[in-house]
């Protein structure tokens, strides 16, 4: 086994513009460890990295942040704890990052090190020169665990213009220069995401753009998205597509300022492969309870949450998994529900693939088609949120608004999408019946 210890410095970009060092990320063999700095642990006003690191009180939070054996901080299988795993990309985006780094797609330490300057939210990681020695917090933990740490190992600097944007669809991190969106950013963190269609689904970005329009027509809080031509984007590859979807990153502010965020997959402690969760009546009540307990504006966020859920049912967005719901931290401390992102009418894609493709999404669709008003009332009861009657009213108003406003928008949507959603609006799902 490699007896050298490799480690990265972990930074948090604060709202006042400071880049605050808050800990280290280390690898020793297959052991990956998160070690928070003592001054971060002891600071009651510390910026929030994740609600999963927050206890019932300050003492409980400090106990989590300094735990010796806790899967939120340490794993011995070569993988990061769940929060940091979810910072890494999936699918083609992961393979592209691995090629740029010259490492295996399974090497999570090197992948995070490669994209360390452009991660989701306000975090940043970069190597520490080996001649600075092994940090005390890292060395002490290994000593307590009886591990022999002989010497620090070398870690290469982040790959210039590499980015880690979670998700499977091919996407790039970009900045705007004049009227063009540029992926070769000369090391700057991206403020936009460029999303591309696929050969399998050439109208995918048109589908997602129309879904943004549908959600916006209901008054939902959406990330800003627009369709541009291929000539308006400076992409690193020659790709056979004319349309590109540009989404403004809501974890970036003026002048590229980083705003922290995290997905509900991270909050709930799920690995990326478990992003579809445990089920509607387990995960959605849990999400609403988190909103009610922690949100800086719980009433607004609960209404927004219910409105989105209903909209996703109506538009056939069966890919609204836990990595596609998030909170952000404008003040770096208290969360609010992040804008809606990654909406797609997935059911419009079913007829173009084999009957066994999209098996998970097909199963979700079958359940959502029968999800009725009694089910929604039960979900809200399980969530134990206040104002449940008001939330049911919001849900019914959302259905009526969709039936009234969506047909006109769908006239310019892809045909498969238009047909799929119009069928759902015309009593194709249970929520369009029994409005009362």
């Amino acid at each position: 086994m490699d007896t050298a210890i490799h480690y990265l410095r972990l930074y948090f970009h604060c709202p006042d513009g400071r880049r605050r060092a808050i800990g280290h990320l280390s690898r020793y063999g297959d052991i990956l460890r998160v070690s928070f700095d003592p001054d971060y642990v002891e600071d009651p006003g510390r910026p929030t990295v994740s609600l999963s690191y927050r206890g019932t009180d300050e003492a409980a939070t400090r106990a989590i942040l300094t735990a010796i054996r806790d899967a939120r901080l340490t794993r011995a299988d070569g993988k990061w704890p769940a929060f940091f795993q979810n910072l890494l990309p999936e699918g083609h985006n992961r393979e592209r990052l691995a090629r740029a780094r010259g490492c295996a797609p399974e090497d999570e330490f090197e992948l995070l090190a490669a994209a360390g300057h452009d991660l989701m939210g306000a975090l940043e990681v970069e190597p520490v020169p080996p001649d600075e020695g092994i940090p005390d917090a890292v060395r002490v933990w290994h000593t307590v665990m009886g591990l022999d740490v002989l010497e620090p190992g070398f870690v290469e600097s982040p790959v210039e213009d590499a980015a880690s944007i979670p998700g499977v669809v091919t996407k790039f991190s970009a900045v705007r220069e004049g009227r063009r969106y540029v992926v070769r950013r000369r090391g700057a963190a991206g403020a936009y995401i460029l999303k591309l269609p696929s050969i399998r689904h050439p109208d995918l970005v048109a589908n997602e753009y129309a879904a943004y329009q549908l959600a916006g027509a209901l008054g939902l809080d959406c990330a800003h998205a627009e369709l541009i031509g291929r000539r308006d984007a400076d992409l690193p590859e020659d790709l056979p597509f004319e349309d590109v979807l540009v989404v403004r990153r809501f974890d970036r502010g003026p002048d590229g300022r980083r705003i922290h965020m995290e997905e509900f997959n991270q909050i709930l402690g799920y690995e990326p492969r478990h992003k579809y969760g445990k089920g509607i009546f387990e995960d959605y009540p849990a999400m609403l309870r988190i909103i009610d307990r922690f949100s800086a504006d719980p009433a607004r966020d609960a209404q927004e949450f219910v409105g989105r859920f209903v909209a996703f049912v109506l538009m056939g967005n069966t890919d609204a998994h836990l990595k596609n719901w998030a909170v952000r931290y404008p003040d770096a401390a208290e969360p609010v529900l992040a804008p809606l992102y990654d909406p797609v009418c997935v059911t419009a894609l079913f007829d173009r693939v084999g009957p066994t493709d999209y098996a998970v999404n097909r199963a979700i669709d079958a359940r959502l088609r029968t999800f009725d008003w009694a089910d929604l009332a039960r979900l809200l009861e399980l969530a134990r949120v206040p104002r449940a009657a008001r939330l049911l009213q919001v849900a019914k108003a959302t259905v009526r608004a969709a039936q009234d406003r969506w047909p006109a928008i769908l006239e310019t949507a892809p045909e498969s999408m238009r047909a799929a959603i119009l069928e759902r609006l015309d009593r194709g799902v249970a929520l369009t019946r029994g409005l009362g």
Side-chain angles (χ1 to χ4, degrees), residues 279-291 302 305-310 313 322 325 367-368 371-389 391-392 395 431:
I280 292 175
F281 291 109
E282 292 187 63
D283 296 317
Y284 281 76
M287 294 161 75
L288 277 167
R289 284 195 296 273
I290 288 167
I291 286 171
F305 184 96
V306 169
R308 287 184 200 178
F309 174 76
V310 172
V313 173
L322 298 172
W325 291 85
R367 179 64 188 93
L368 292 180
F371 190 91
D372 59 19
W373 294 106
D375 288 329
L376 183 55
R378 178 187 168 206
L379 188 155
L380 296 175
E381 181 181 1
L382 290 171
R384 301 190 298 275
V385 292
R387 304 171 294 276
L391 294 176
L392 280 171
L431 288 183

Side-chain angles (χ1 to χ4, degrees), residues 277-344:
K278 299 176 180 178
I280 292 175
F281 291 109
E282 292 187 63
D283 296 317
Y284 281 76
M287 294 161 75
L288 277 167
R289 284 195 296 273
I290 288 167
I291 286 171
D292 186 60
R293 178 182 174 189
F294 293 108
S295 172
D297 193 351
R300 174 264 179 195
D301 282 352
Q303 291 185 29
E304 175 76 16
F305 184 96
V306 169
R308 287 184 200 178
F309 174 76
V310 172
F312 291 158
V313 173
L314 297 178
M315 72 171 63
N317 180 14
T318 61
D319 207 43
H321 50 66
L322 298 172
K323 288 182 69 63
N324 284 340
W325 291 85
V327 299
R328 63 175 176 171
Y329 299 83
D331 64 355
E334 302 305 321
V336 293
L337 192 63
L340 180 155
Y341 60 99
D342 286 0
V344 175

Side-chain angles (χ1 to χ4, degrees), residues 7-9 101 113 125-129 155-158:
Y7 47 90
L8 302 163
R9 196 67 165 119
R101 186 63 165 184
V125 300
E126 61 184 33
V128 180
V155 180
E156 294 183 6
S157 298

Side-chain angles (χ1 to χ4, degrees), residues 158-199:
V159 175
E160 185 178 43
D161 295 338
S164 183
I165 307 171
V168 176
V169 174
T170 301
K171 60 185 74 172
F172 298 92
S173 182
V175 295
R176 189 167 185 175
E177 294 183 358
R179 300 181 63 179
R180 288 175 62 78
Y181 295 91
V182 179
V183 173
R184 298 180 180 87
R185 311 179 308 278
R186 296 185 292 278
Y192 298 87
I193 295 173
L194 306 186
K195 305 180 75 170
L196 305 180
S198 67
I199 295 174

